[in-house]
Every structure is written in C-alpha cells, then in structure tokens.
Amino acid sequence: VAAYDLLLYLEKKHGKDFSFPLTRQEYIRGLEKLQRRYFPLLYPRGINGLLLTFGLNRMFLERRLPYVAFWAASGRKLFARMADMLRQDIPVVLSVGPNFPLVWQKNRLVFYRLAYDGRFFPAADVTGHYVTALEMTDEWVKIASWGRSYYIRIDEYEDYEDIEEEEIYEED
C-alpha cells in the first residue's frame, strides 16, 4: 500500500502519463498488479522492510525514476532524516510496526483527518502497516495510506514505537 501511494506521488511529480485512481476498485486493481510484480507478501505478516526496499529499487529502476530506497531503523534520528528528505520533496515510507518484539500487545497508532475548521479528529487506528510520509511539521506528519491523506502525531508515533531520546550522563 505504501509503495503504491509512493509511486502515485512520484509519477505525478515526474510528469508521467498517470493519474490517481478514481475509485476504490481501480486503486485495489493497481495495488494488486504492483504487489504481484514487485512485492511478494509473506503470510501472515505481509512484507518485511528489506523486501520492500528491494521491490522499491526494482520499481524505480524499471520506471526510470531517479531514486534509491534503503532501509533504516534509526530511532532517535528518524524524524530528523525524514524532515530532511521531505524538504527535498522525497516521500518517505514509514513503518508502523507490529508491536515487535512484544507481539501480544494490542497497541495501535491513531490516524487523524483534518476537518474543514482546521481541527484534527481520529479517523482510524493501525498496527503492522507501512505508510508514505508526504509532509511534516513539528507536531504532525501528513501521510498517505490506501490512497487517502491522514496525519499522525509525532509524539504518539514515538510512544508507539518506543523511540527514546538520547540521554547523556556525565560522570562525577
């Protein structure tokens, strides 16, 4: 899903003869086509980060898009790197992990929608899902998932993924 949303964004950006799917059925059809060609799913979990990276690079190469994907699990540096890439208008595939290694936990990350009056409201909650980050502020990341725009709060993502700030200890 994240790879397809990424492709939709990049092909539009690079002026390819491509338009966003108009219906959910068209979106699903395009998603299935992309999955068969580039992204083998490992049941029951889906796809891991390394296979996703390999599939993205193959897709970029075949479509002559000037990108190279790499998998990085950087914890504290994640949002600084993401902000840098988004400033260059390079979307980022972000993992909403499956509560690993404590897979029995039922933690979920909330996706928000933006109301017409500028307020955010909860729209969905997920686990074990990849999304495509498109924009970022100090508090929010605008994402694409299933061809729709949502937002995640950075502090909620950090809590969900248990990203710790680096603590510096001085010896006495």
Side-chain angles (χ1 to χ4, degrees):
V1 172
Y4 190 44
D5 289 333
L6 178 75
L7 179 64
L8 294 174
Y9 181 86
L10 291 175
E11 288 198 336
K12 182 178 179 186
K13 175 182 170 182
H14 288 276
K16 304 284 185 184
D17 185 17
F18 188 87
S19 62
F20 282 87
L22 300 176
T23 67
R24 180 122 175 121
Q25 188 175 33
E26 289 172 323
Y27 183 91
I28 297 295
R29 208 170 26 248
L31 182 64
E32 288 171 345
K33 191 174 169 181
L34 199 67
Q35 182 264 317
R36 279 190 306 274
R37 181 153 179 89
Y38 301 107
F39 305 104
L41 297 181
L42 306 172
Y43 292 101
R45 285 293 189 200
I47 189 169
N48 66 39
L50 295 176
L51 284 175
L52 178 63
T53 302
F54 179 76
L56 284 170
N57 283 325
R58 186 171 162 224
M59 184 180 73
F60 294 155
L61 184 66
E62 288 181 10
R63 292 172 180 269
R64 295 190 167 100
L65 290 168
Y67 299 98
V68 175
F70 62 94
W71 183 251
S74 61
R76 295 174 286 106
K77 297 178 184 176
L78 174 70
F79 288 104
R81 288 180 177 168
M82 184 185 307
D84 185 47
M85 290 176 68
L86 293 174
R87 274 192 295 276
Q88 298 174 58
D89 199 22
I90 301 170
V92 176
V93 174
L94 181 66
S95 172
V96 179
N99 295 305
F100 187 78
L102 307 174
V103 294
W104 59 86
Q105 290 183 338
K106 303 295 182 199
N107 299 336
R108 301 180 72 75
L109 181 67
V110 177
F111 286 4
Y112 294 88
R113 298 296 301 252
L114 183 59
Y116 293 111
D117 63 4
R119 290 183 297 144
F120 292 90
F121 62 94
D125 54 62
V126 302
T127 187
H129 187 59
Y130 293 103
V131 299
T132 301
L134 303 172
E135 297 174 14
M136 188 173 161
T137 67
D138 289 340
E139 186 178 356
W140 296 95
V141 177
K142 181 178 181 180
I143 61 169
S145 180
W146 289 97
R148 299 185 74 188
S149 293
Y150 296 96
Y151 294 83
I152 58 173
R153 288 179 55 110
I154 292 172
D155 60 342
E156 289 178 4
Y157 182 88
E158 289 173 332
D159 288 345
Y160 177 84
E161 294 291 342
D162 198 24
I163 296 173
E164 302 280 333
E165 288 297 318
E166 183 174 328
E167 296 182 26
I168 300 173
Y169 297 97
E170 293 183 21
E171 293 186 27
D172 295 330

